[in-house]
Amino acid sequence: MKNLNILLVTLLVVSCNSLFAQHSGNVNHDELAKKEASGNYNYQNQYHNRDVPTIQTSYSNDNEMVITIKGIYNEKASCQKAVFSVLQVGKTAEEVTNLMDERLNTVMNELKTFNAEIEVITDMISFVPMYDYEVTKKIFNPKTYNEKPSGFELKKNLIIKFKNTNDLNKIMSICAKQEIYDLAKVDYVTSNLDHIRDVLQLKASEEYKQMLTNYSAIMNTDLFKKEKTLVEGYTTLYPMESYKAYTAYSQAATNFSPESQVNNIRKNTTQFYDAALAKSHTFVVNADITEPTIQIFYDLTIRIKLKEDQLPKNTIIRNNRYYIITASGDIKPLAL
């Protein structure tokens, strides 16, 4: 019975570890495998608490205090633009253009039927002839290779503007019917940047006032009346800049005999959306959006002068002003 209890506890621990690893994603499974391969040190120290460094948001000395406020605004794209690269070849210029127009017109008509709000335009890239080599034999000369026109190559970009993220699945299906597979990129567009900056400034101002109130009570001084300087900045991060690549980890744990030949399968390399985390920021607006978003970052740094400028004792301050009387009797200040 004792052995059975030990077996159940062991299975429970293994099961829990498997669940945690699966829930955290395969990218962490890859990192865990690397740590396990580094020796028994990690196994012996896996129950030690980690020291998590805090992020400094303010500091001070005798002369000044510096407060840093950072914010993120997660914005859904008001529309997206998918860019497909289209290639068409043919023997004559007329054949190439006709085949290209037929494919693109079919895509446009099907997209209009699917959703009338979808906008489609084409962007001309190149239209060039293609050449092959023709062998020419002469009596007194060896073989000569001459270029000979063999057809034409036409390249265009198909730009499709849509608002619903899930529409891209249908768009790709319609394009695939016309052998248009090359999705070059997807641009995320928002027309709300001015409003977003106003929201970030207002939110940062509220955070600043609250921090200043707390620090004034702690330091027993009215920081609101102190002299201040500030620096602020914005930056924008689009979803295409936030994707990271990783290689799927999969390896058998079977022990093979020395005579066995093991062929490892090539691991799949893929990508995932990795947004900036909120842990290094003071506040986040729209933190619960699921789909990839446009992230607007705002930084505000306020430097507060704690020690007033003091002049030496017995210093006399003179504010002399000089005036000049003109010929007409007017009095004007003289700048010196």
Side-chain angles (χ1 to χ4, degrees), residues 178-246:
Q178 301 303 318
E179 298 182 352
I180 300 175
Y181 311 109
D182 189 0
L183 177 59
K185 67 172 183 175
V186 178
D187 288 331
Y188 291 72
V189 181
T190 180
S191 56
N192 204 26
L193 286 177
D194 290 339
H195 171 70
I196 292 172
R197 288 174 179 172
D198 292 340
V199 172
L200 287 171
Q201 277 188 327
L202 180 60
K203 183 67 176 175
S205 177
E206 294 173 355
E207 293 284 344
Y208 164 70
K209 291 177 182 178
Q210 183 62 44
M211 294 173 70
L212 216 60
T213 300
N214 296 337
Y215 293 153
S216 294
I218 294 172
M219 301 175 67
N220 195 26
T221 184
D222 189 357
L223 296 176
F224 287 91
K225 296 182 179 180
K226 299 292 184 179
E227 183 180 346
K228 305 172 185 67
T229 58
L230 63 87
V231 177
E232 68 171 353
Y234 295 90
T235 188
T236 304
L237 194 64
Y238 290 92
M240 67 184 71
E241 301 173 283
S242 299
Y243 277 88
K244 291 185 178 179
Y246 83 101

Side-chain angles (χ1 to χ4, degrees), residues 23-74:
H23 192 65
S24 65
N26 288 339
V27 66
N28 287 331
H29 185 278
D30 191 16
E31 294 298 324
L32 178 61
K34 294 177 182 177
K35 291 180 180 179
E36 289 177 349
S38 63
N40 291 333
Y41 175 81
N42 289 314
Y43 177 81
Q44 295 170 353
N45 293 274
Q46 60 181 328
Y47 297 109
H48 289 184
N49 290 329
R50 257 194 326 157
D51 293 332
V52 180
T54 58
I55 296 178
Q56 191 177 66
T57 58
S58 61
Y59 68 89
S60 65
N61 52 37
D62 293 340
N63 297 319
E64 68 173 3
M65 169 180 279
V66 180
I67 297 175
T68 302
I69 300 173
K70 296 184 177 183
I72 304 177
Y73 193 110
N74 293 322

Side-chain angles (χ1 to χ4, degrees), residues 3 11 13 69 92 107 115 124 178 190 219 227 238 256 265 285 307 314 328 330 336:
N3 293 334
L11 290 175
V13 172
I69 300 173
T92 64
V107 170
N115 188 345
M124 180 69 180
Q178 301 303 318
T190 180
M219 301 175 67
E227 183 180 346
Y238 290 92
F256 298 97
I265 299 175
V285 182
K307 186 177 291 186
N314 302 324
S328 59
D330 298 327
L336 296 177

Side-chain angles (χ1 to χ4, degrees), residues 90-91 129-136 144-152:
K91 293 183 178 181
M130 297 184 300
Y131 295 91
D132 284 338
Y133 288 97
E134 179 184 46
V135 180
T136 302
T144 302
Y145 294 87
N146 298 320
E147 284 187 334
K148 178 183 177 182
S150 61
F152 292 86

